[in-house]
Amino acid sequence: MISALSPSGSIRQRLVLILLVVAAVLAGLLYLSVRTVADAAVETTQDAILGAATVAIAEELRGGDDGLTVEIPYAAFSMLGATGQDRVFYRILVGDETVTGYADLPVPESVSGLSPTFVSQTYQGVDVRTGVVSRAVLVDGVSRVVTVVVAQTRTAQDAISRQMANRAAALGLGFFAFAAILSIFTARSVLTPLNRLAEAMGRRGPQDLRPVERAVPTELVPLMRALNGFIARLRGALTRTETFITEAAHHVRTPLATVRAQAEIALRQTDDDATRATLRNVIRAVDDSARSAGQLLDHATVVYRTDQRADERLELGPLVFDVVDSFYPTADMRDITLRMDAPAEKIVLQFDRLLIESALRNLIDNAVKYSFADGIVEINLSTQGAFARLEVNDRGRGIGAGDTALLAGRFQRGDNVQDVIGSGLGLTIVRDVARAIGGSFEIAERTGGGTCATLLLPLA
Amino acid sequence: MRHVIAAIGLTLWAGCVQAYEIEEEAVFAGGAAELSILSTTDTEAFAPLITAFQAANPDVTLRYTVANSQEVYAALQEGAAFDLAISSAMDLQLKLANDGFAQGHGSAETAALPGWAKWRDQLFAFAQEPVVIIASRVAFDGAPPRTRAELIDKLRDAPDQFAGRIGTYDPVRSGAGYLFATQDARQSDTSWRLAEVVGGLDPQLFTTSGDMIAGVQSGELALAYNVLGSYATARLAEGDAVVIEAVDFTHVLLRTALIPRTAERADLGAAFLDFLLSEDGQRLIESETGLPRINEAALAAGPHLRPIRLDPGLLVFVDPLMRQQFLNEWTAAVVQD
């Protein structure tokens, strides 16, 4: 039953996968945001220094009657070396005319006033961050716009950014690793109630049809309700089946027994040979019907009990002996000798007693039924490796030329037994029991006539 | 390098083809590979280093060209093809590196340099020299000044004794002298006062430290201000002159080297640079040339020592406008005729 279920994926794997994807996305976002913030912070810091240097130069520009005085403060450039070893370019203009510095340094648009404007641009083939400040200076009595441009390469900034990026990456990876471990634990923890429930259900014995009373998480309550409803219905159905089997046995066997008793009484009271023959036929038919009904019920019981087994330790020797014993009256009627041979040591099985009994009964019944009068039925019990071997040999009519495997099929009978009344269920019961216990059943033609039925049952 | 000189030794010539002037050029013959170095350091001082380098690299012929620091700067700006440029003018060297005339170089030797002794993996210092005062003991009555303030007092007290007997660099003609003067000016106001006082005493202006040291030794000068100490200590072991590292502050000049962008054999330039920075090279620099090796501990031991920092601040006084203004002011203070 269980092996027939093919799982459609694992909740745990799916949960872990989803959590990992979420963690990866979050780690990525974390990396990006840390980088963005760090880059912005680094740039702001660098700009502040660049701005301070630019403003310092602009503030030292003085107008006057004899032209513009440029006094570049030593500290203005020196401070640009504070964060790294970046190249520095500068240009000071009055109007559009370059007073000093790098005459080809591009001048970005700037807002007038002493707060610097920053632009990233390219100069001499390298990326530079440029600060620009414009202010009005009175030169020769005329107000002129003086522009100070200071540019700095971005080596230090890039180096800090790279370092930040590495740290952000490490942070992201660390976050991901932490989240991965956490997600595995989470999945395990979330699935614990489910696993416990599955374990508890698996541990239940086959007879245990009590409703599940465990406390389960809210999400599992509907499942539990459905399961308990199902168990209740199953229990009802099984109870009904059991009742039906018992009732049927009772209802079929009791009237038959009454009919048989009445027929026997009538047989004893009449002297008319024709009537006696008829009554004997009636008794035989009733016997056969009772047996067939018994076999049908046996089969039903076997089918029912293979799902609802009550295994116990069984000693096979005495069990076989008891069953054989019960056939002596029947065998005596036809002068059939039952011979049983069992070893001295105990042969122990772990199985349902009723099922084994049922199989043995049908096996021996078959042998007795198809034996000729005055025949011998030999029952040999032995061990063969890990199996108990029960051989039932008769010198009956054998099984004919038909397929021996087909004989064990339900309602299948041999071609040569049309004159003997039978249901065709006996060997089916034997085979079903053998299958349920994990053993095997074979039936073969004996040399010299008769049948050899071999039942192998695993030892406990 | 349009002229090939096969002779070993010194050849004095005035550059007539290049726009820049050189002072001397020496060829140290070796193998087929030619390494050309443009330097402000005398051939004589550098010869032991070159010999040692060639002992390790026998296949290298080394052309050593000496020029003053402004000419070294001009040569590289014109795109002259040298494999290594060595100069004492840190500001000009930094300007070259800043403006993209140098190429980067990284090796175990450069990595071992302290951070203050290199810039952008393009400019490397291989010697550190204090900028000192050399004074005649006799002229100061056996009590030479320890600070600039003391010096100013002594000069004011006895102007007759010092008139015409003070020597210092001419910042107009000497790159190193300009660097010292500008660094003095930015360091303290005392230096302007000193300049005024010195200016009143009819100073003599020089272009080399050697001439000033010789002047003090001969008694012609009572005082030489802003002299490269390494030259001084080597020559003044005995005699009247005394080397003073002013305790208010004493600048330390870094002699730097860079591999020009135009280098034809940058690999050889880098090899020579690595040799200068290597343990062997540093030991030879100290023992053979008399230049102090790069030594962080020595700087830490002397709190008055102020290494001139390799940072963009050096660019300020290279600005032509700033240079002109500074020289005008300096000339007004010192040359008072």
Side-chain angles (χ1 to χ4, degrees), chain A residues 86-340:
Chain A
D86 275 309
R87 294 164 69 184
V88 173
F89 310 104
Y90 62 97
R91 185 177 176 187
I92 299 169
L93 305 97
V94 173
D96 294 331
E97 185 194 339
T98 301
V99 178
T100 190
Y102 298 73
D104 53 347
L105 183 65
V107 183
E109 285 293 316
S110 77
V111 191
S112 193
L114 265 182
S115 50
T117 312
F118 302 101
V119 181
S120 293
Q121 54 185 16
T122 304
Y123 177 63
Q124 289 192 0
V126 289
D127 288 337
V128 291
R129 186 75 179 160
T130 309
V132 55
V133 166
S134 284
R135 63 177 287 212
V137 173
L138 213 57
V139 182
D140 293 332
V142 182
S143 175
R144 306 286 304 272
V145 173
V146 183
T147 308
V148 177
V149 186
V150 179
Q152 189 182 20
T153 54
R154 301 164 54 106
T155 321
Q157 188 179 331
D158 292 347
I160 299 171
S161 289
R162 258 198 312 280
Q163 202 180 350
M164 290 293 176
N166 286 342
R167 285 194 191 158
L171 193 66
L173 280 180
F175 175 81
F176 180 73
F178 180 67
I181 293 169
L182 217 58
S183 69
I184 289 168
F185 277 115
T186 307
R188 187 173 293 175
S189 146
V190 163
L191 291 178
T192 301
L194 208 54
N195 288 337
R196 287 219 184 110
L197 183 65
E199 224 172 83
M201 296 305 291
R203 262 206 312 270
R204 285 190 155 215
Q207 312 283 15
D208 189 354
L209 288 177
R210 287 171 302 157
V212 183
E213 303 284 6
R214 301 179 64 84
V216 292
T218 327
E219 290 80 0
L220 288 180
V221 167
L223 176 65
M224 291 319 300
R225 224 173 258 153
L227 190 60
N228 281 340
F230 183 71
I231 289 174
R233 284 202 302 282
L234 182 62
R235 198 173 54 225
L238 284 173
T239 313
R240 278 196 300 280
T241 309
E242 215 165 355
T243 314
F244 172 75
I245 290 168
T246 323
E247 292 278 306
H250 183 69
H251 284 298
V252 173
R253 276 175 175 154
T254 313
L256 282 177
T258 314
V259 170
R260 197 184 191 279
Q262 295 293 329
E264 279 193 348
I265 293 167
L267 188 63
R268 258 183 245 128
Q269 286 172 348
T270 184
D271 292 329
D272 179 29
D273 282 348
T275 311
R276 288 176 72 95
T278 307
L279 285 174
R280 274 201 197 91
N281 279 344
V282 167
I283 291 170
R284 222 183 61 182
V286 166
D287 279 352
D288 281 335
S289 296
R291 231 193 35 212
S292 291
Q295 277 189 325
L296 273 170
L297 294 174
D298 260 1
H299 184 250
T301 311
V302 165
V303 170
Y304 166 70
R305 285 197 80 90
T306 41
D307 285 340
Q308 300 284 311
R309 271 160 39 195
D311 288 0
E312 57 183 305
R313 285 180 73 81
L314 299 173
E315 215 185 305
L316 196 54
L319 200 64
V320 174
F321 195 80
D322 285 349
V323 174
V324 170
D325 214 29
S326 70
F327 275 94
Y328 278 122
T330 323
D332 278 350
M333 271 170 64
R334 296 172 59 208
D335 292 329
I336 295 170
T337 311
L338 293 177
R339 190 181 291 161
M340 173 158 174

Side-chain angles (χ1 to χ4, degrees), chain A residues 316 341-343 345 347 380-384 387-391:
Chain A
L316 196 54
D341 192 16
E345 78 265 21
I347 296 172
N380 297 326
L381 185 59
S382 61
T383 55
Q384 178 186 330
F387 290 90
R389 182 189 174 93
L390 183 74
E391 245 178 59

